[in-house]
Amino acid sequence: MTWMYATAFANTFHNCFIKEDRYKLLLGGIGVTLKVSLIAVALGVLIGFLIALCNLSHSKILKTIGGIYTDVIRGTPSVTQLMLIYFVVFASVQIPKWIIAGIAFGINSGAYVSEIIRAGILSVDKGQTEAGRSLGLNAYQTMTRIVIPQAVKNIFPALCNEFIVLVKETAIVGYVGLVDIQKAGDFIKSATFEAFMPLFATAIIYYTIIKLLTLVFKQLETRMRKSEIR
């Protein structure tokens, strides 16, 4: 009986991943997921920083812009934003799909990152700003040399968590025709009429990526804490 189960498992595995080199779909999907995620996190941090400064600004115009952006992006589904940006904004632009997807997720992530950065800046004691100004630093120098370095240490875990969430959210890029990890698993499922193994493999791949990222981020956070103690 055990031999029969092992044979059936081996046949299913071969059909799902070895036959017609279907494993290459998953390998290609990993590359797409990582490329989209990297563009999204870089753009998200940039946008998030700018929007955070808008929300912290004394200018009513900048505050309004930051507030509207954050409210609209956080109030609409990411899949809707992805489809709007792909099928409407970049409909006539000839650039790779994964770049468009990265831009869409970066815009989405920027709204959440802005709140993380804003909270991090506000968490720095006001006395630090006053000390910087008393030393003759202007507002820009005080922000970049004193406040932001301290804020980064405070918000680093939250930013890492946002990146991890972002990797998992990219599983919807199949809506615009990109073959990421999830879409590759769906293709294998459709071709083989086997649901369990392709979906299980997809889950294992996502889990492995997230686990590796978590370990890397923990190492970085540990180093930051050691440097702070010194």
Side-chain angles (χ1 to χ4, degrees):
M1 185 67 69
T2 303
W3 178 81
M4 292 177 61
Y5 282 125
T7 302
F9 178 87
N11 289 335
T12 303
F13 183 88
H14 181 273
N15 190 35
C16 288
F17 306 119
I18 307 302
K19 186 178 180 181
E20 298 180 1
D21 293 334
R22 289 181 178 132
Y23 70 92
K24 291 183 179 180
L25 284 171
L26 291 172
L27 293 179
I30 293 172
V32 170
T33 295
L34 293 179
K35 288 191 294 185
V36 171
S37 299
L38 288 174
I39 288 180
V41 72
L43 186 59
V45 170
L46 176 61
I47 294 176
F49 179 72
L50 295 176
I51 296 300
L53 292 182
C54 287
N55 289 330
L56 292 171
S57 173
H58 296 295
S59 169
K60 291 184 178 180
I61 296 176
L62 292 178
K63 273 192 172 183
T64 301
I65 293 173
I68 292 175
Y69 175 86
T70 304
D71 188 52
V72 171
I73 296 299
R74 294 176 67 184
T76 54
S78 55
V79 64
T80 304
Q81 296 166 17
L82 173 64
M83 296 178 75
L84 278 172
I85 291 173
Y86 182 81
F87 292 110
V88 179
V89 178
F90 288 96
S92 59
V93 180
Q94 299 298 319
I95 60 175
K97 292 181 180 180
W98 62 271
I99 294 180
I100 298 175
I103 293 172
F105 282 105
I107 292 172
N108 176 271
S109 180
Y112 297 93
V113 172
S114 69
E115 289 300 289
I116 294 173
I117 294 176
R118 184 181 67 86
I121 292 175
L122 291 176
S123 70
V124 178
D125 191 274
K126 290 184 178 180
Q128 299 291 321
T129 302
E130 295 172 357
R133 300 305 296 272
S134 67
L135 291 172
L137 300 177
N138 57 37
Y140 174 78
Q141 292 172 326
T142 302
M143 179 64 71
T144 56
R145 297 182 184 181
I146 297 178
V147 177
I148 291 179
Q150 295 183 66
V152 168
K153 292 182 180 181
N154 294 337
I155 67 177
F156 185 75
L159 285 176
C160 292
N161 184 65
E162 172 62 21
F163 185 33
I164 288 172
V165 171
L166 192 59
V167 171
K168 292 185 288 185
E169 283 189 348
T170 60
I172 63 172
V173 295
Y175 279 96
V176 295
L178 272 173
V179 183
D180 67 324
I181 300 171
Q182 183 62 54
K183 195 64 175 179
D186 290 342
F187 279 150
I188 294 173
K189 179 167 63 70
S190 300
T192 61
F193 299 102
E194 294 284 349
F196 171 75
M197 197 164 289
L199 292 175
F200 185 72
T202 299
I204 289 295
I205 292 171
Y206 274 114
Y207 176 80
T208 302
I209 292 173
I210 298 304
K211 191 66 177 178
L212 290 174
L213 287 174
T214 302
L215 292 174
V216 171
F217 291 150
K218 282 185 177 180
Q219 288 294 323
L220 292 174
E221 186 179 355
T222 301
R223 290 184 181 183
M224 290 177 67
R225 288 179 178 177
K226 286 183 179 179
S227 64
E228 186 176 2
I229 293 173
R230 290 177 185 175

